[in-house]
């Protein structure tokens, strides 16, 4: 199995490139985000790769980082998501955005990718929510504001039976109220989870729609409390 390639970029197509390594040109299917980041023909390039053998064809995919390579594989564990669909998602969203969309159950965010309908997007957000926690723990990278691991933990713990910290109903009510005001679910989820993390147990009784929505709106608009 070829895990990575280091060579000279010799061709750039719409959704593929050719990387020449020791006189051999490797055709790699890549995301549009990766293509947009390339320096140009003749530049040196190192890519992580995924090789798939189907029927009588060998198809290789290229990624600029280890985390891109692994989220590509993770997405394909969902029924209905093949390599083309996974690459389409990576062409639309970066890894941090994919994980945030999954943890916040933001199907609309995933559906922005070409060829990904609401049904498949729903399966992705439902089936991968626990897997992305393991993914995040196993990949050493700088994720969104270093808060994403806490956000994922909060998502997984929302429905635990804990009288002190179980605010699943309140959280969902607050998120719904903000989404109805026109904000995306993923943006709202991230802000509300951060507010919940910053809230002490003694003041959880004030974690209500009327109290939290104004605070969340300030943060969403970029204001400082």
């Amino acid at each position: 199995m070829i895990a990575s390639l280091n060579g000279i970029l010799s061709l750039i197509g719409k959704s593929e490139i050719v990387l020449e390594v020791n006189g051999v040109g490797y055709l790699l299917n890549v995301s549009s985000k990766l293509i947009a980041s390339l320096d140009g023909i003749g530049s040196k390039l190192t890519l992580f790769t995924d090789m798939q053998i189907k029927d009588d064809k060998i198809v290789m995919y290229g990624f600029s980082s280890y985390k891109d390579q692994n989220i590509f594989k993770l997405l394909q564990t969902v029924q209905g998501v093949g390599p083309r669909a996974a690459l389409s998602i990576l062409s639309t969203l970066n890894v941090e955005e994919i994980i945030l969309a999954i943890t916040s159950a933001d199907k609309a965010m995933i559906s922005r990718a070409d060829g990904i309908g609401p049904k498949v997007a729903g399966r992705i957000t439902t089936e991968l929510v626990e897997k992305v926690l393991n993914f995040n723990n196993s990949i050493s990278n700088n994720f969104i504001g270093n808060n994403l691991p806490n956000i994922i933990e909060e998502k997984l713990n929302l429905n635990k039976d804990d009288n002190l910290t179980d605010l699943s109903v309140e959280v969902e009510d607050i998120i719904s109220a903000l989404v109805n005001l026109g904000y995306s679910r993923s943006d709202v989820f991230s802000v509300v989870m951060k507010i919940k993390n910053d809230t002490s147990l003694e003041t959880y009784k004030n974690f209500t729609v009327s109290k939290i929505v104004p605070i969340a709106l300030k943060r969403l608009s970029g204001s400082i409390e």
Side-chain angles (χ1 to χ4, degrees):
M1 178 66 70
I2 300 174
S4 65
L5 291 170
N6 183 3
I8 303 297
L9 184 62
S10 61
L11 184 146
I12 302 175
K14 184 178 180 180
S15 59
E16 68 282 324
I17 65 170
V18 173
L19 190 64
E20 188 172 324
V21 182
N22 297 325
V24 178
Y26 291 87
L27 178 66
L28 301 171
N29 293 274
V30 298
S31 70
S32 59
K33 282 185 177 293
L34 191 150
I35 287 180
S37 71
L38 296 175
D39 289 335
I41 302 297
S43 60
K44 293 182 179 180
L45 182 64
T46 298
L47 293 179
F48 292 90
T49 61
D50 182 64
M51 184 171 66
Q52 299 190 14
I53 302 175
K54 293 189 176 181
D55 299 326
D56 59 345
K57 293 194 304 182
I58 298 177
V59 183
M60 293 187 67
Y61 300 87
F63 311 92
S64 59
S65 70
Y66 183 58
K67 63 181 181 180
D68 283 11
Q69 178 197 53
N70 278 269
I71 201 74
F72 174 78
K73 295 177 180 178
L74 183 64
L75 287 167
Q76 290 176 74
T77 64
V78 177
Q79 181 184 1
V81 180
R84 181 175 296 182
L87 206 60
S88 175
I89 294 171
L90 278 168
S91 291
T92 306
L93 307 171
N94 61 36
V95 173
E96 290 82 0
E97 290 169 336
I98 293 170
I99 293 178
L100 183 57
I102 291 170
T103 56
S104 61
D106 194 341
K107 295 185 292 184
M109 192 172 181
I110 299 290
S111 296
R112 285 163 47 191
D114 289 341
I116 305 298
K119 188 174 182 180
V120 172
R123 283 203 295 266
I124 291 172
T125 57
T126 301
E127 297 178 22
L128 296 185
V129 62
E130 292 191 27
K131 292 181 180 179
V132 292
L133 176 60
N134 295 326
F135 175 88
N136 188 64
N137 287 336
S138 64
I139 305 297
S140 178
N141 282 292
N142 183 25
F143 279 59
I144 300 175
N146 296 319
N147 290 320
L148 192 54
N150 292 332
I151 292 171
I152 297 174
E153 289 282 8
E154 287 292 338
K155 175 65 175 177
L156 296 179
N157 291 330
L158 269 179
N159 296 314
K160 284 189 175 180
D161 186 16
D162 186 333
N163 291 330
L164 290 176
T165 60
D166 184 11
L167 294 171
S168 57
V169 174
E170 290 85 350
V171 166
E172 189 56 43
D173 286 346
I174 293 165
I175 290 174
S176 295
L178 291 164
V179 169
N180 287 337
L181 291 175
Y183 292 95
S184 72
R185 184 175 177 87
S186 54
D187 287 343
V188 167
F189 181 85
S190 180
V191 167
V192 173
M193 288 297 98
K194 183 63 169 60
I195 294 172
K196 183 173 182 289
N197 285 338
D198 295 341
T199 304
S200 65
L201 293 178
E202 290 77 13
T203 57
Y204 268 177
K205 61 183 179 180
N206 293 321
F207 201 88
T208 62
V209 172
S210 60
K211 296 283 187 180
I212 301 302
V213 166
I215 297 173
L217 285 172
K218 288 181 181 179
R219 297 194 181 187
L220 286 165
S221 64
S223 301
I224 299 175
E225 294 179 56

